[in-house]
Amino acid sequence: MIIQGVNITGGIVKDAYDTTSNLLVFIDANNATSYPSSGTTITDLSGNGYTHTLSGPGFTTVGGVKCWDCTTTGQIVCNGTGPTLPTSGFTYIAWARMIASSATYRTLFRTEPNNHPILINAGTNTLGMWDNVSGGFQSSGYDVTALATVWAQWVTTGDSSGQTFYINGQLVGTESGHTAAGNTHAYIGTMTAGQPFGYIANAYLYSVKLSAEDIFRHYWSVKQRLGI
């Protein structure tokens, strides 16, 4: 018997899955129900009705993965007022292929009225978040150089006290005292001011902090589905 996409911990087999419990937003370039390969409308598969609009980026396939091209300009915008990231806990997940250039900030998510839950600092390859209200860039302490131009799972969990960062199902860093919790979900991929992140295959927002085990299961489930 061949078992694939599982995490064996203490001799117990754990199935790979991407949970739908506590899901606020889910958009997917690889699901025709969410995006039919053309147009500007992206349907939210969470059932909560948070439709998104492509504002600039195109649609393409990279490495066999269907995705939105946010490598130069444009962004994915949540229509109207997006859901609030609870101060009690939230989780952002995206499968993305980051550009290599560090000439500008690389923003994966941006909330309103301020803050960037996942951002690579300009002039560096350091992963963290940006607090527009107080403190500016907040480092996770993790260098993302090896992730340039490869598909990866990018995750941050947070609450009122700070945020934790995961790459491909593994915890890679934390920061305390700064958070996007309490803000509303707004943008994915880049900003019109010019902070391109790369290619975006999907994006999830949860109203809870997923556990490390759930994030790892999510990693294996989506990785297999995308054929990565």
Side-chain angles (χ1 to χ4, degrees):
M1 179 176 66
I2 299 174
I3 300 176
Q4 294 179 314
V6 298
N7 175 28
I8 300 178
T9 304
I12 300 174
V13 175
K14 303 292 186 181
D15 292 333
Y17 66 88
D18 49 319
T19 180
T20 58
S21 180
N22 301 300
L23 188 60
L24 289 175
V25 173
F26 172 34
I27 61 173
D28 189 354
N30 292 269
N31 187 320
T33 302
S34 182
Y35 188 71
S37 301
S38 63
T40 60
T41 300
I42 306 173
T43 299
D44 172 24
L45 300 178
S46 74
N48 295 315
Y50 291 110
T51 303
H52 289 61
T53 296
L54 287 179
S55 178
F59 175 77
T60 188
T61 300
V62 179
V65 179
K66 296 178 181 179
C67 55
W68 298 295
D69 183 353
C70 298
T71 59
T72 53
T73 60
Q75 58 194 340
I76 299 168
V77 183
C78 182
N79 296 343
T81 302
T84 299
L85 281 60
T87 55
S88 58
F90 69 89
T91 301
Y92 262 127
I93 301 178
W95 275 85
R97 187 179 173 110
M98 182 187 69
I99 61 173
S101 175
S102 62
T104 65
Y105 296 105
R106 285 165 281 181
T107 291
L108 183 52
F109 293 106
R110 210 285 193 182
T111 55
E112 291 289 0
N114 42 56
N115 299 339
H116 304 234
I118 295 182
L119 174 142
I120 312 303
N121 201 17
T124 75
N125 282 299
T126 305
L127 172 66
M129 64 86 64
W130 187 276
D131 186 338
N132 287 75
V133 177
S134 61
F137 180 68
Q138 305 299 316
S139 174
S140 71
Y142 185 73
D143 187 291
V144 299
T145 301
L147 296 174
T149 69
V150 297
W151 285 108
Q153 180 211 47
W154 299 75
V155 181
T156 187
T157 65
D159 55 25
S160 59
S161 64
Q163 291 184 206
T164 299
F165 300 85
Y166 298 79
I167 298 292
N168 291 337
Q170 302 296 320
L171 190 154
V172 297
T174 61
E175 64 80 28
S176 300
H178 300 268
T179 178
N183 281 4
T184 59
H185 167 71
Y187 307 101
I188 304 167
T190 183
M191 290 294 292
T192 53
Q195 300 176 14
F197 191 87
Y199 298 100
I200 313 297
N202 55 43
Y204 303 73
L205 172 59
Y206 292 87
S207 61
V208 296
K209 292 172 66 174
L210 294 184
S211 68
E213 184 174 288
D214 280 340
I215 291 168
F216 188 76
R217 286 168 158 170
H218 198 289
Y219 163 70
W220 273 108
S221 173
V222 178
K223 177 179 180 178
Q224 292 175 78
R225 193 165 68 241
L226 294 180
I228 297 173

